[in-house]
Amino acid sequence: MRLPDFEAWAMFACVVEHRSFSAAAASIGVSKATVSKAVARLEVSLGTTLFHRTSRRLALTDAGQSLSERAARILAEAQGAEEQARDAAAAPTGLVRVAVPMSFGLAHVAPAIADFLAAHPGVEIDLTLSDAKVDIVADGIDVALRIADLPDSSLRARRLAPVAIRIVAAPAYWEKRGRPTHPADLGHHACFVYTNLPNAIWHFRQGAEEVAVRPAGPLATNNGEAMLPALRAGLGVARLPDFLVDADIAAGRLEPVLEAWTGAGVALHLLTPPGTLRPARVEALIEFLSERFRRLCQPR
């Protein structure tokens, strides 16, 4: 039986992660020639080209793209196996790449990361804040948080907490335009649109009745927090998670409506790439964030 060239697979994964033979070599601590030879060896073994190489650009071929996730998984499994085999009492060390939504990340994840780093001085965090959907495998992300009605995928997902979604506007807006008594009434209101959703439709449910509303209005943005100034100014209606609007509701700046209607099953999820073995530093962060956020958001 001919064994797989695990070293070549690992070096291929590093090149994909760093988008460069030179950067991959530096991260591993070997020469660029060693990495180049390993990838070439893998290409010969597979009978296909993995990269398009020019003097200015390095890009994956279709075959390289399809194999990159498996290569990343092989590398992660090996790293996880090595770390699990080490002394269990050893403190976690190394880099963890984390991707989180912008507003939730600033308000809640950044303080949590500060506490985690204080408790684990050997760990480094590369934190990406973006409301855009991140490909955690292709981008080399170890841990991601998403607030969504999560579809099926090959990613490992842990549901941490439900997130209440509320329909809000300024009291002055409701006084001027009238308070809706049914979700269908929102079709006649100035509704702000969250552009990161692939299908900008608001879904509602009450008992056996289900209603879908397509919002339209004067503001479209890829960040929910960016809607708040226009909301407070009485310019429209938004559908936002409670952690963004609770303070404004408590202060009387915003007023919720249609509270008897529930939306889609939105929740805070923690996602990791496929695979069962993870480095100790990643496991430590997963457990820390899971415990921190499990009861953060409660249904109303």
Side-chain angles (χ1 to χ4, degrees):
M1 180 180 67
R2 183 172 177 271
L3 292 176
D5 189 342
F6 291 112
E7 181 183 60
W9 279 102
M11 289 190 179
F12 167 53
C14 286
V15 175
V16 173
E17 177 183 351
H18 293 281
R19 305 292 198 273
S20 162
F21 279 85
S22 298
S27 71
I28 301 169
V30 299
S31 68
K32 178 183 176 181
T34 298
V35 175
S36 182
K37 288 177 182 178
V39 172
R41 194 168 67 239
L42 183 60
E43 288 177 325
V44 171
S45 174
L46 297 173
T48 189
T49 301
L50 299 173
F51 291 103
H52 294 301
R53 302 169 177 85
T54 68
S55 59
R56 295 184 177 180
R57 188 169 178 265
L58 181 70
L60 285 165
T61 63
D62 289 343
Q65 185 66 51
S66 66
L67 292 170
S68 61
E69 181 176 332
R70 291 191 176 185
R73 193 180 309 165
I74 289 170
L75 179 57
E77 292 276 358
Q79 290 174 330
E82 286 187 356
E83 291 211 13
Q84 283 192 358
R86 292 173 188 151
D87 185 357
T93 61
L95 177 66
V96 183
R97 294 181 173 86
V98 184
V100 300
M102 177 68 72
S103 298
F104 184 81
L106 289 171
H108 299 291
V109 181
I113 292 297
D115 292 341
F116 177 82
L117 290 174
H120 299 84
V123 177
E124 301 171 9
I125 300 293
D126 182 341
L127 180 62
T128 298
L129 297 102
S130 173
D131 288 337
K133 186 176 180 180
V134 176
D135 186 334
I136 70 173
V137 174
D139 293 340
I141 301 298
D142 298 301
V143 179
L145 293 176
R146 286 184 187 164
I147 297 173
D149 178 14
L150 203 64
D152 292 335
S153 75
S154 62
L155 303 176
R156 299 180 66 190
R158 180 183 298 189
R159 189 177 188 272
L160 299 184
V163 176
I165 303 297
R166 314 188 78 178
I167 303 297
V168 295
Y173 175 90
W174 295 132
E175 292 296 332
K176 180 180 179 181
R177 299 289 298 270
R179 291 168 176 78
T181 58
H182 188 277
D185 297 339
L186 292 170
H188 307 294
H189 283 268
C191 297
F192 299 161
V193 179
Y194 181 62
T195 58
N196 271 325
L197 292 177
N199 190 352
I201 294 179
W202 295 353
H203 294 276
F204 299 88
R205 183 184 300 109
Q206 186 180 48
E209 185 179 4
E210 296 186 4
V211 181
V213 177
R214 185 177 294 277
L219 177 63
T221 176
N222 63 355
N223 179 264
E225 195 168 7
M227 299 179 184
L228 293 178
L231 279 173
R232 294 165 183 152
L235 300 178
V237 181
R239 180 176 181 266
L240 292 171
D242 55 359
F243 66 83
L244 280 182
V245 297
D246 273 354
D248 282 283
I249 292 173
R253 291 185 293 269
L254 297 177
E255 178 185 334
V257 297
L258 303 174
E259 294 284 83
W261 292 80
T262 60
V266 177
L268 175 65
H269 294 86
L270 187 149
L271 304 180
T272 57
T276 57
L277 294 175
R278 291 183 288 241
R281 60 186 179 274
V282 176
E283 288 287 359
L285 181 62
I286 288 172
E287 293 308 314
F288 182 89
L289 295 179
S290 296
E291 182 64 26
R292 179 92 167 212
F293 297 133
R294 199 178 302 278
R295 294 178 180 85
L296 177 67
C297 307
Q298 296 294 336
R300 296 183 181 277

